[in-house]
Amino acid sequence: MLIIGLGLGMIIPGAAAARAATREVTLPIAEHGAIPLTATTVAGAMSGTMPDGTARTWAAVSGKPAYLAEIDPIAGDVITTYPMPDSGGAWGVEIGPDGTVWVASYGSGNLYYLPFGAAAIINAGRPHPQTSFLWQVDTDADGIAYTGTFQGFAGGSVLPPARVAAFDPKTGQYRDYGEFGAAYTYVRSTAVIGNTIYAGMGTTAALFAIDIDSGAKSEIPLPEGREGCQFTYELATSGTDLWVRFDCTKISYGYVYDTVGRAWTRGPLTGYSDQRVGRDTAGNTWFTIGSTLHRLSPDGEDTELDAAIGSKGIGVVESGGQEYVIGLTNNVLDRYDIATGEQEQHILDLPGTPTTPRSAVLGPDGRLHFGGYFSGGLASFDPAAEEWQFQARLGQTEGFATVGDRLYGGHYPGAKIEKIDPTKPLGSGNPTEVFNLTAEGQDRPFALTDAGGLLAVGTVPGYGNLQGALAIHDPATGDVDRYVGLIPDQCITALAYANGVVYGGTSVYGGNGVEPTQDNARVFAFDLLTRKLLWNVEVEGQRQVTSLEVTPGRRVWAGTKGTLHALSTVDGKQVADYEIAPFDWSTFPGGTWQGTSLAYDPSTNRLYGSIGGKVIRIRPAGRPDLQILAGTGGAHIVLAPDHRLYFVNGQNLKSIDWREAD
C-alpha cells in the first residue's frame, strides 16, 4: 500500500535549556580492540599500455589512507602500491599520454599524479578551497589534467555549484573553468576529445562542452527521455565518440555521442555502467552491459560475447603482440584475449584497508554487529568470548534492527531491506532481500526499529530529492506498507517505538545535491492501528534528528548534532533540552545523516547516549542528573543485557559499566 500524506504540524518553540547537575564521570574503560571492518574496494581504475610497452592496470583502493596500486594485468601481479595521504579513495584514474597516472580523489578533494617512472605520488592539492570531492579525470594531448568537483567544504546549508578545473604539471598551477549554474552541484564526469572538455552534471543531468582555450561553454541537448535523470554519471572516449552513462533513479542507460557530427548515434543501452571503454588497434570499442562483454565494430555492429568482466578499469592493453581487454572488480582482474576469445581471471593480492564503522546493533544471537562505510562487511563481537569475526559479503549497512529472532539490515543504494542470519556464513542466500524502496525514490535506510514485532524503516531519498519515506513490514505475512510524504520535504533519520506508536525524527537534508526547503527538523508520532499521524512538531533551531528513545513518564527523547531534547509523547510538546556540545548548523552542508544514538535501560532508569561525540547518561524522570564520560568520546552506542554500554571510538570498540559511578 502506498499512501501519500500531508503532515501538517505545529511549531513548538524550544524549551528553555533545562538546568541539570552536569558532571564528568571517570570510569574504568574496557578495550575490545579494533573493529575488523576491512575491505579491498576499487572505486576507480584504468588499464593501458605504458610508454615503455608494458601493460598496466592502475587501481585506486579506498581506505585510511587510500592508495594507488600498480598491477601487471598479464601476470596478475601487484607490482607496488603508492599511498595517497589525506585521501579516502578515488573514482577517477587516468593514464596520460606521457605515462603520468592521475587520480582524482575524495575525502579532501585532492588531485594526485604519478609521473612515469617516479617512485612516489605527488599531491597537487584541491583545485578550490571548497572542493571536497573530485570525480573523473582525463587529460589532453599536452598532458594537462581536467576534473570536476563537488564543493562540500563550502559550509552552510546551500551547496554552491560544482566546477571544472585543469591542472598543468609543468607549471604546478590550476585553471578554474568556473560554474555551470545553481542546479548543478556535481560535475560528476569529465572527458577530453581534441580541444574540448566534456562535463556531465548532477543532481540534474546535463552535458556541457567547454572549449579548452577560451573556456566557452555550450550545453549539449540530452537524448530523448533522459531529461529527468539525476546524473550524467560517467563519460568515456573511443576515438571521437563520447560514451555517456546516465543514472536515472538507479537505472543506468548508456548512449554514444558523435562529437564530430554532434548527434546521439546509439542508445539507450540499458544496464551500461562502465567508467571507461576500451579501443583496440582495429578500431573496435569494448564495453559491458551488466557484466557481459560487448564489441562494437567501426561500422556499428554490436557483438555480445560469451565473456564477463568487471566494469572498473576497462581498457585494451598490448603484450607480446597480442591485445587483451582488461576489467576489474575490486581485487578480481579479468583478462580477455581478443585474438583467441580465451578468458582468465586473477585474484589480486591487494592489501585490505580499514573501513569506518557505520552502524551497530545487538543481534538476536547475543553478539554485537557492525556495518562499514562504504565497502560494507559485517564485523561481529562476542562479549562472552571476547572474540571477533569478520565477513566481507555484506553491502553498506546504514542501519540495523533486531526483531524477535531476526536481524535486519538497511542497505544502500536503493533502500534495500535484507534479513541476515548472523549465525551462518554470508553468501548462498544469506542475506535475503525482504523488500526495497527503490520505486519510491529512496536510497538510504538509516532508521530501523522493532515496532512491537513489526519492522519500521525510515529512509533518506536519492540524490537531488528531499522526500523520505516510512515503511512498516510484517514478518509474519510479508506485507509492506509504504508511506511517502508524511513529513513534506523531509527524510526520516530516526525511529523509536512504544505502546502501538512509532515515533520518528527527521532531517531537512535529503539526498545530496538538493537545498532544504524547511528550516527545522521534526519529531512525529504515527499510530500503527489507524496508520495516521497523531502529531508532528518542529524542533526549533535543529535541522536534523538522528536518534530517538522513549522512556517512562510519557517522554520521547530526540538527539541532534549537539543537543538532547525531551518531548511529550501525548502531543509532542517540548519539555526540556540539554546542550551537550555546541554545534553551528549554519556551517553544516548536509551529506551525513548520522551523529547520535540513544538507549534506555529500564532496570536502572537511565538513558544513555552519544551526542556531539560525547558519551552521556541522564535520569529521564525526576531530578535531572546529566553525566558525561570523561577521557574519551564515542558513537554508535549499544546497551547489552548485562547493563554494559558499548561504544565505538574511532576504529575501536570500548565499553563501560556506568553503575560503577553510582
Side-chain angles (χ1 to χ4, degrees), residues 271 273-274 287-294 305 307-311 329 343:
S273 60
D274 296 346
F287 64 100
T288 67
I289 298 293
S291 60
T292 301
L293 185 62
H294 285 244
L305 302 163
I309 69 170
S311 62
T329 304
Q343 184 178 5

Side-chain angles (χ1 to χ4, degrees), residues 164-191:
V164 165
F167 182 80
D168 187 341
K170 295 177 183 177
T171 65
Q173 299 296 316
Y174 276 104
R175 176 182 175 182
D176 186 359
Y177 282 89
E179 305 169 350
F180 296 80
Y184 307 122
T185 51
Y186 289 75
V187 175
R188 183 59 182 78
S189 50
T190 50

Side-chain angles (χ1 to χ4, degrees), residues 257-264:
Y257 180 73
D258 179 352
T259 63
V260 177
R262 299 185 180 182
W264 297 97

Side-chain angles (χ1 to χ4, degrees), residues 352-368:
T353 55
T355 59
T356 302
R358 181 77 159 182
S359 48
V361 71
L362 178 67
D365 57 346
R367 296 188 296 169
L368 281 69

Side-chain angles (χ1 to χ4, degrees), residues 98 213 236 295 331 400 409 412 428 438 447 449 451 477 504 514 559 587:
D98 60 353
D213 296 328
R295 179 185 65 230
N331 66 332
F400 286 111
Y412 166 88
S428 302
T438 305
T449 196
T477 65
V514 60
T587 65

Side-chain angles (χ1 to χ4, degrees), residues 57-338:
T57 295
W58 300 88
V61 181
S62 303
K64 298 184 291 187
Y67 65 87
L68 177 68
E70 179 182 358
I71 301 162
D72 181 343
I74 305 304
D77 295 332
V78 178
I79 304 300
T80 190
T81 60
Y82 303 86
M84 297 189 299
D86 200 27
S87 169
W91 281 91
V93 180
E94 172 65 17
I95 304 170
D98 60 353
T100 297
V101 180
W102 295 87
V103 185
S105 76
Y106 58 79
S108 294
N110 295 319
L111 181 66
Y112 298 85
Y113 65 103
L114 178 70
F116 181 66
I121 204 164
I122 299 171
N123 185 354
R126 64 173 70 106
H128 189 276
Q130 296 176 347
T131 299
S132 63
F133 211 125
L134 298 179
W135 294 95
Q136 285 187 297
V137 59
D138 202 359
T139 58
D140 63 16
D142 296 324
I144 297 173
Y146 301 83
T147 187
T149 78
F150 174 74
Q151 303 291 87
F153 289 148
S157 60
V158 178
L159 283 169
R163 318 174 80 88
V164 165
F167 182 80
D168 187 341
K170 295 177 183 177
T171 65
Q173 299 296 316
Y174 276 104
R175 176 182 175 182
D176 186 359
Y177 282 89
E179 305 169 350
F180 296 80
Y184 307 122
T185 51
Y186 289 75
V187 175
R188 183 59 182 78
S189 50
T190 50
V192 177
I193 297 177
N195 198 46
T196 302
I197 313 161
Y198 294 90
M201 304 294 145
T203 57
T204 300
L207 180 62
F208 284 85
I210 309 154
D211 183 271
I212 286 178
D213 296 328
S214 69
K217 304 178 179 73
S218 59
E219 187 170 359
I220 299 172
L222 299 186
E224 183 179 355
R226 300 285 77 90
E227 296 83 358
C229 295
Q230 288 77 48
F231 283 96
T232 307
Y233 202 81
E234 309 278 13
L235 296 178
T237 62
S238 178
T240 58
D241 283 340
L242 185 68
W243 287 66
V244 184
R245 171 189 170 188
F246 293 102
D247 186 76
C248 313
T249 316
K250 300 305 168 186
I251 300 176
S252 291
Y253 298 101
Y255 287 81
V256 178
Y257 180 73
D258 179 352
T259 63
V260 177
R262 299 185 180 182
W264 297 97
T265 60
R266 185 168 296 272
L269 304 172
T270 304
Y272 169 82
S273 60
D274 296 346
Q275 280 188 328
R276 299 289 188 183
V277 296
R279 185 177 177 88
D280 62 27
T281 54
N284 297 301
T285 301
W286 298 82
F287 64 100
T288 67
I289 298 293
S291 60
T292 301
L293 185 62
H294 285 244
R295 179 185 65 230
L296 182 66
S297 69
D299 60 5
E301 181 182 358
D302 183 350
T303 303
E304 180 179 322
L305 302 163
D306 186 20
I309 69 170
S311 62
K312 302 289 186 181
I314 290 179
V316 173
V317 301
E318 186 176 352
S319 179
Q322 295 286 99
E323 289 186 298
Y324 303 88
V325 182
I326 306 298
L328 201 64
T329 304
N330 294 327
N331 66 332
V332 178
L333 184 142
D334 298 297
R335 185 177 69 246
Y336 177 85
D337 189 320
I338 291 176

